[in-house]
Amino acid sequence: MAPARAPGSPSGALCRQLLLTLAILTFACDACKTVTLHVPAKLDAEKFIGRVNLKECFKSATLIHSRDPDFQILEDGSVYTTHAILLSSEKSSFTILLSNTETHEEKEILVLLEHQTKKRHSQEKVLRRAKRRWAPIPCSVPENSLGPFPLFLQQIQSDTAQNYTIYYSISGPGVDKEPRNLFYVERDTGNLFCTRPVDRETYPSFELVAFATTPDGYTPEYPLTLLIRIEDENDNYPIFTETNYIFKVFENSKVGTTVGQVCATDKDEPDTLHTRLRYSIIEQFPASPTLFSMHPTTGVITTTSSQLDRELIDKYQLKIKVQDMDGQYFGLQTTAACVINIEDVNDNLPTFTRSSYVASVEENRIDVEVLRVAVQDKDLIHTANWRANYTFLKGNEDGNFKIVTDSQTNEGVLYVVKPLNYEEKQQLTLQIGAVNEAPYIGTSRSTMNMATVTVNVQNQDEGPECDPRVQTVRIRENVPVGTKNVGYKAYDPETRSSSGIRYMKSSDPEGWVDVDENSGVITILKRLDREARSGVYNISILASDKDGRTCNGVLGIILEDVNDNGPVIRQRRVIICKTVMSSAEIVAVDPDEPIHGPPFDFSLEGVLDSEVLRMWRLTKVNDTAARLSYLNDLQFGKYTVPVRVTDRLGQSLVTQLDVILCDCVTPNDCNTYRSPRTGNREVILGKWAILAILLGIALLFCILFTLVCGATTGAAKKPKVFPDDLAQQNLIVSNTEAPGDDKVYSTNGFTTHAVGGSAQGICGTLGSRVKSGGQETIEMVKGGHQTMESCQEAGHHHTLERCKEGGQHTLDSCRGGPTATDNCKYTYSEWYTYTQPRLGEKVQQCDQDNTHMQAQDYVLSYNYEGRGSAAGSVGCCSERQEEDGLEFLDHLGPKFRTLAETCMKR
């Protein structure tokens, strides 16, 4: 928009110059730093909002890019919006990036967007004159124009051209974007030209931007959007989506049944005559009759007749056409081929080639093919519409035949599956029907075709016939051996006679009978017991004629019962818990049949004054049970009670019952009883008690095995030996620690009066053998450091300094000969003289506390620790007469080794 001024004003030129200067300053000041553009708060899509002078900032820029995707920058610096924008604040900004791809130099321009403010006057409105905006009319270019080129399109003229020298320019697709240099505008006149033909299918239209600027760069007009449309020319043929269409339709379809649809496309401009297509059928083969039609606009193919018959014609070929320009004669057209296959339906019944058939078969034959019947079917072979299913309508009530379909020939094959008997029936008449697997949908009223088959049975010379195969006879059990009875009978089917047939048994599990070879009569060989083998006793019989032909039969012997068994009580042991019950129920059974069985009569076996009758009583409960109860207060124990049970016919049997009177709650708790005869308590071991005993025995064997293995392993271990560096250590005295009687011990004239058994353990003689109450203690002094822990009083230890002055005396020094013996004697005398008065005093002190009572702090009682050592004393000076008796030290027992190990740990 050019700045408004009053016409004829003398200062117009000056104002224009000032405005131009301000505009330049607005857009070029700090061009490489910050540029401010005044824009409304709401911006429409693709709206021009201003221009930035890019050349003064970076002339060699080859790439112009906006960091904000909402704005687009053109090469002349024009700023456009890419879509509608609503600025949320009064000031917004974005950055323009200028770069040279060859020198890799980059510069940035910050663009500030400020909202335009509208001033409102409350008193009056000021009207301002504004010039109209330049607006060239839209133009078009014919597609594939023949020229001449450059082809003039129109002239764009700015309203300010009368006041200024205006230069025109354009940008956009077709100018500086692909396809480049398609349009150009004369800079001075504004004439717009097209340089070459344009294909509308490639470029339907162009949107250019026109600029009007003054020589000094001032833009008096807003950039103008110029739309150039390419006028379509009918230069594209319609094309079918497929070159060959294949459809299918069932025969006998109704009129109007949809077969398929064809489709074509046209690249020309939509919704014009150039793309308005019409479909049609040009040719049909076979040509007659016409059975299909095509919708002209949708391309849908439908049937025009219901006379489609696959059995006559199974395929039709159509030549179809599509034409643009709404089907007018000058329109462009294309053709294609269409094949329509006629699908089969079951509209034809299978028909027998003959209405009647005759066949023959020998009697007694099975799985023999008798006859093949053929049918004809016009439907498609090897389909459900063609395959036939055969069925018997009449004549096969006994199931002697079966008929199956041959999958290759579709014939019905008749078989004999059950032997025929010429003597019973010489001829059979069968009625057979045939249908397809698929349901019939034809027009015939009959849905099944039928045929008659006559089968003649041929006679054969047959062997004996075992009919019925299973025959039975009834024989009373326990009949005498040698008794004869009726046996098995077979006959000749030709003569219906049994003469000339021989019999033999092939199976007799118990060997009860013998079969007569000529008559089949059986003879009893053993006593027949019905109770031993229940049910029917079967014997296999083999019958043969003179030609060796045989048949197999079964003779079942049914044994008739006789009353040969008395009732018996199965439970022979009866337990009566005397504390909770006074009787027990007994039940009898009879192995004979029920007619020889209950009701039973129960009674005690014995004389009137017998002991059994005085102690027990029987009470009948029902036909098979009675209750046994004791009469007096019998003792716990086991009793034998004889009970006689008699059936309804008088057959009886005596059963000896073992009755146990037990002190229990339930019979399962009764494990012991006392015999009333001996009075001894006997033990009844149940299964759990026996199992517990066996487990205990097994556990005992495991313990013994473990002990034996442990002893063997301990004996195999290497005995422990004392290390050589133990010479400077002392073995602590282990004496009798429990109080004992006052004793006087003497060792070679040295007497010590010990008060209490504990005193001798603490203040006893060194190297002496002390025996008190059968216990023996040993004290050993090694290495010559003869130290004694005497009685501890107030934490003081009294050490025998005199013993230290005697030098180091080892055990070996006491065994070194006469000189060694004298030294030992001398050392012993000194030790005895020094310790005699002091030991007595210390014994007195360590045995009493401040109140002259026994001091429990010093004298403690301990448990018995086992027998004393059999080695005796180990003191080198205590036993002068045993100078050579110290070999036992090399063979000390395990207890002394335990003591040595304790000292070594210390």
Side-chain angles (χ1 to χ4, degrees):
M1 177 77 66
R5 64 176 178 87
S9 173
S11 59
L14 180 59
C15 291
R16 289 198 304 272
Q17 185 66 31
L18 291 174
L19 290 175
L20 182 60
T21 304
L22 290 174
I24 294 174
L25 291 175
T26 302
F27 292 106
C29 181
D30 294 330
C32 293
K33 294 182 180 180
T34 304
V35 174
T36 303
L37 300 179
H38 297 279
V39 296
K42 183 177 181 181
L43 299 175
D44 296 332
E46 299 181 353
K47 181 178 179 61
F48 175 79
I49 62 174
R51 178 177 291 179
V52 179
N53 193 342
L54 304 178
K55 299 297 182 180
E56 291 186 5
C57 179
F58 194 4
K59 293 183 179 181
S60 61
T62 58
L63 181 62
I64 304 171
H65 175 68
S66 172
R67 293 189 182 275
D68 192 340
D70 294 338
F71 301 96
Q72 180 182 7
I73 313 299
L74 301 183
E75 292 183 354
D76 62 346
S78 299
V79 182
Y80 287 87
T81 58
T82 57
H83 54 269
I85 301 173
L86 180 62
L87 300 179
S88 59
S89 60
E90 292 185 358
K91 290 186 178 182
S92 300
S93 64
F94 68 92
T95 304
I96 300 174
L97 176 63
L98 305 176
S99 61
N100 190 318
T101 56
E102 296 180 356
T103 61
H104 302 287
E105 184 179 359
E106 293 183 353
K107 289 187 180 181
E108 290 185 352
I109 299 177
L110 179 62
V111 180
L112 298 179
L113 303 178
E114 291 187 357
H115 294 186
Q116 292 178 349
T117 58
K118 297 181 180 179
K119 296 183 179 180
R120 297 181 180 179
H121 300 279
S122 59
Q123 296 180 356
E124 62 180 358
K125 295 183 178 178
V126 179
L127 299 178
R128 297 181 181 271
R129 186 170 71 91
K131 68 178 180 134
R132 65 182 177 85
R133 190 170 184 269
W134 65 315
I137 63 174
C139 64
S140 61
V141 178
E143 181 184 13
N144 300 324
S145 174
L146 299 178
F149 295 101
L151 179 64
F152 174 78
L153 300 181
Q154 71 167 335
Q155 183 183 22
I156 55 176
Q157 185 67 42
S158 172
D159 293 341
T160 58
Q162 57 184 348
N163 300 324
Y164 301 97
T165 300
I166 300 299
Y167 294 149
Y168 300 97
S169 62
I170 58 176
S171 64
V175 182
D176 50 3
K177 296 182 180 179
E178 292 297 333
R180 295 178 179 272
N181 304 322
L182 182 59
F183 303 99
Y184 76 93
V185 64
E186 290 183 346
R187 181 180 182 186
D188 300 331
T189 63
N191 294 331
L192 182 63
F193 294 92
C194 178
T195 61
R196 61 181 182 272
V198 184
D199 185 11
R200 192 208 66 83
E201 287 71 40
T202 306
Y203 302 103
S205 63
F206 295 90
E207 185 175 323
L208 306 180
V209 179
F211 302 96
T213 59
T214 60
D216 54 4
Y218 172 64
T219 305
E221 299 285 355
Y222 288 115
L224 179 66
T225 299
L226 182 60
L227 180 63
I228 300 177
R229 190 175 65 86
I230 308 301
E231 296 180 358
D232 183 46
E233 181 186 10
N234 190 21
D235 57 343
N236 292 281
Y237 284 83
I239 300 174
F240 282 104
T241 55
E242 296 180 22
T243 57
N244 289 284
Y245 291 92
I246 299 177
F247 300 117
K248 60 184 178 180
V249 64
F250 286 104
E251 62 177 330
N252 301 327
S253 296
K254 297 180 180 180
V255 176
T257 302
T258 300
V259 178
Q261 183 179 13
V262 297
C263 184
T265 59
D266 197 321
K267 295 182 180 180
D268 289 328
E269 185 175 0
D271 300 325
T272 64
L273 282 176
H274 298 164
T275 56
R276 190 171 297 175
L277 307 179
R278 286 292 181 267
Y279 301 92
S280 61
I281 298 176
I282 301 176
E283 185 180 1
Q284 172 185 309
F285 179 80
S288 180
T290 301
L291 301 176
F292 305 98
S293 66
M294 177 178 286
H295 195 280
T297 58
T298 61
V300 176
I301 302 175
T302 57
T303 59
T304 59
S305 173
S306 60
Q307 301 303 317
L308 291 173
D309 190 354
R310 190 205 64 84
E311 286 72 36
L312 296 178
I313 301 174
D314 61 350
K315 181 171 64 175
Y316 291 88
Q317 295 181 358
L318 304 179
K319 184 178 182 181
I320 57 178
K321 178 187 73 174
V322 61
Q323 189 173 18
D324 60 11
M325 300 301 291
D326 203 15
Q328 299 183 51
Y329 68 94
F330 51 81
L332 302 177
Q333 63 179 6
T334 304
T335 61
C338 179
V339 177
I340 300 177
N341 294 316
I342 308 303
E343 295 290 306
D344 182 47
V345 296
N346 188 22
D347 57 344
N348 295 280
L349 287 173
T351 305
F352 286 100
T353 57
R354 296 169 55 185
S355 60
S356 62
Y357 298 88
V358 178
S360 61
V361 63
E362 294 181 352
E363 65 174 334
N364 301 324
R365 300 285 301 274
I366 61 173
D367 296 331
V368 177
E369 180 181 326
V370 180
L371 179 69
R372 281 179 174 260
V373 294
V375 294
Q376 291 180 348
D377 197 320
K378 296 180 181 180
D379 292 323
L380 187 63
I381 66 172
H382 299 302
T383 63
N385 301 328
W386 174 78
R387 285 189 292 269
N389 285 337
Y390 298 91
T391 182
F392 292 104
L393 303 178
K394 191 187 297 182
N396 193 36
E397 289 79 7
D398 295 335
N400 297 102
F401 301 93
K402 74 173 181 179
I403 187 168
V404 296
T405 303
D406 189 328
S407 60
Q408 299 298 323
T409 63
N410 210 25
E411 293 177 327
V413 185
L414 183 65
Y415 289 93
V416 176
V417 294
K418 188 176 179 181
L420 299 174
N421 193 340
Y422 175 82
E423 287 73 26
E424 294 180 357
K425 189 174 290 187
Q426 291 79 31
Q427 188 180 76
L428 294 93
T429 301
L430 306 175
Q431 191 174 18
I432 302 173
V435 295
N436 291 121
E437 291 183 0
Y440 175 69
I441 59 174
T443 58
S444 176
R445 293 183 179 180
S446 177
T447 59
M448 181 180 293
N449 192 254
M450 294 178 290
T452 302
V453 178
T454 301
V455 180
N456 296 316
V457 181
Q458 297 177 354
N459 187 26
Q460 281 187 331
D461 186 11
E462 303 171 272
E465 185 173 329
C466 296
D467 187 29
R469 182 176 177 274
V470 179
Q471 302 176 17
T472 60
V473 294
R474 304 184 69 89
I475 304 176
R476 292 175 62 86
E477 66 172 331
N478 299 329
V479 296
V481 176
T483 302
K484 296 182 180 295
N485 204 324
V486 178
Y488 195 86
K489 286 295 181 180
Y491 61 91
D492 187 348
E494 306 292 338
T495 61
R496 310 302 297 176
S497 173
S498 299
S499 61
I501 298 178
R502 297 179 178 274
Y503 305 91
M504 63 176 297
K505 65 176 182 178
S506 59
S507 174
D508 183 7
E510 302 293 339
W512 279 358
V513 299
D514 186 24
V515 178
D516 186 81
E517 181 181 5
N518 297 319
S519 62
V521 175
I522 60 174
T523 304
I524 305 302
L525 299 179
K526 293 182 180 179
R527 176 178 175 272
L528 305 182
D529 187 1
R530 189 193 67 84
E531 289 76 26
R533 192 177 186 90
S534 60
V536 180
Y537 181 74
N538 293 323
I539 301 173
S540 298
I541 303 297
L542 180 65
S544 61
D545 60 5
K546 59 182 180 179
D547 295 329
R549 291 170 294 190
T550 62
C551 69
N552 293 299
V554 176
L555 178 64
I557 300 177
I558 301 175
L559 295 179
E560 297 180 351
D561 184 46
V562 296
N563 191 18
D564 57 344
N565 294 284
V568 63
I569 301 174
R570 297 279 176 85
Q571 185 179 357
R572 301 296 182 91
R573 183 170 179 266
V574 180
I575 299 177
I576 300 177
C577 293
K578 190 176 180 182
T579 57
V580 295
M581 54 192 295
S582 61
S583 62
E585 185 175 307
I586 57 178
V587 179
V589 294
D590 194 330
D592 292 328
E593 290 186 354
I595 60 174
H596 301 143
F600 298 142
D601 182 27
F602 295 85
S603 62
L604 296 173
E605 184 70 14
V607 296
L608 294 178
D609 296 335
S610 65
E611 183 180 0
V612 175
L613 299 178
R614 291 195 303 269
M615 297 172 58
W616 305 95
R617 181 177 62 188
L618 278 174
T619 304
K620 189 173 182 179
V621 176
N622 52 37
D623 290 346
T624 60
R627 185 170 298 279
L628 177 66
S629 57
Y630 57 89
L631 298 178
N632 302 319
D633 188 11
L634 301 180
Q635 297 180 359
F636 295 112
K638 179 179 177 182
Y639 300 88
T640 301
V641 180
V643 178
R644 178 182 294 275
V645 185
T646 307
D647 61 17
R648 65 167 63 186
L649 299 181
Q651 185 74 19
S652 64
L653 184 67
V654 177
T655 303
Q656 301 291 336
L657 299 182
D658 294 333
V659 183
I660 299 175
L661 292 182
C662 186
D663 185 9
C664 59
V665 178
T666 61
N668 293 332
D669 298 336
C670 185
N671 293 325
T672 62
Y673 66 91
R674 188 177 300 276
S675 175
R677 298 180 180 181
T678 63
N680 297 328
R681 189 172 182 85
E682 300 181 2
V683 179
I684 301 176
L685 296 178
K687 58 182 180 180
W688 296 111
I690 297 175
L691 180 61
I693 292 174
L694 295 177
L695 291 177
I697 295 174
L699 181 62
L700 180 60
F701 275 111
C702 291
I703 294 173
L704 294 176
F705 180 74
T706 304
L707 293 177
V708 172
C709 292
T712 305
T713 305
K717 290 183 179 180
K718 184 178 180 179
K720 295 182 180 179
V721 297
F722 296 133
D724 296 336
D725 59 348
L726 203 62
Q728 302 300 323
Q729 299 184 16
N730 297 326
L731 298 181
I732 306 303
V733 179
S734 175
N735 293 322
T736 301
E737 293 157 342
D741 299 333
D742 294 343
K743 299 291 182 178
V744 177
Y745 303 97
S746 176
T747 303
N748 297 332
F750 172 58
T751 304
T752 301
H753 182 74
V755 182
S758 300
Q760 82 174 33
I762 299 175
C763 305
T765 58
L766 292 174
S768 64
R769 183 178 300 178
V770 183
K771 296 183 179 180
S772 174
Q775 301 182 15
E776 181 176 293
T777 62
I778 302 172
E779 178 181 357
M780 178 179 179
V781 181
K782 291 185 68 178
H785 295 282
Q786 301 171 1
T787 327
M788 168 181 273
E789 290 185 359
S790 63
C791 307
Q792 298 182 9
E793 182 177 6
H796 296 285
H797 295 272
H798 300 274
T799 308
L800 299 178
E801 299 293 341
R802 186 63 176 170
C803 289
K804 289 184 178 181
E805 295 176 358
Q808 298 181 356
H809 301 275
T810 61
L811 293 178
D812 295 334
S813 64
C814 297
R815 296 193 292 182
T819 306
T821 304
D822 294 338
N823 292 335
C824 286
K825 292 180 180 180
Y826 177 76
T827 304
Y828 177 77
S829 300
E830 282 188 340
W831 175 79
Y832 176 81
T833 305
Y834 179 79
T835 59
Q836 171 61 22
R838 290 171 175 76
L839 286 178
E841 180 183 357
K842 294 302 180 182
V843 168
Q844 286 270 48
Q845 293 177 356
C846 68
D847 193 38
Q848 296 179 358
D849 55 11
N850 295 332
T851 59
H852 302 285
M853 299 298 292
Q854 187 175 8
Q856 297 298 328
D857 293 338
Y858 303 106
V859 181
L860 299 177
S861 300
Y862 295 93
N863 291 331
Y864 174 66
E865 297 179 345
R867 296 179 57 189
S869 173
S873 175
V874 296
C876 63
C877 301
S878 59
E879 296 289 346
R880 290 174 296 175
Q881 70 277 10
E882 296 181 0
E883 296 176 356
D884 297 329
L886 300 178
E887 290 81 3
F888 66 90
L889 293 176
D890 297 330
H891 307 285
L892 296 179
K895 292 185 179 181
F896 187 83
R897 286 200 298 269
T898 303
L899 181 61
E901 290 175 0
T902 303
C903 295
M904 284 190 290
K905 291 180 182 179
R906 293 182 180 178

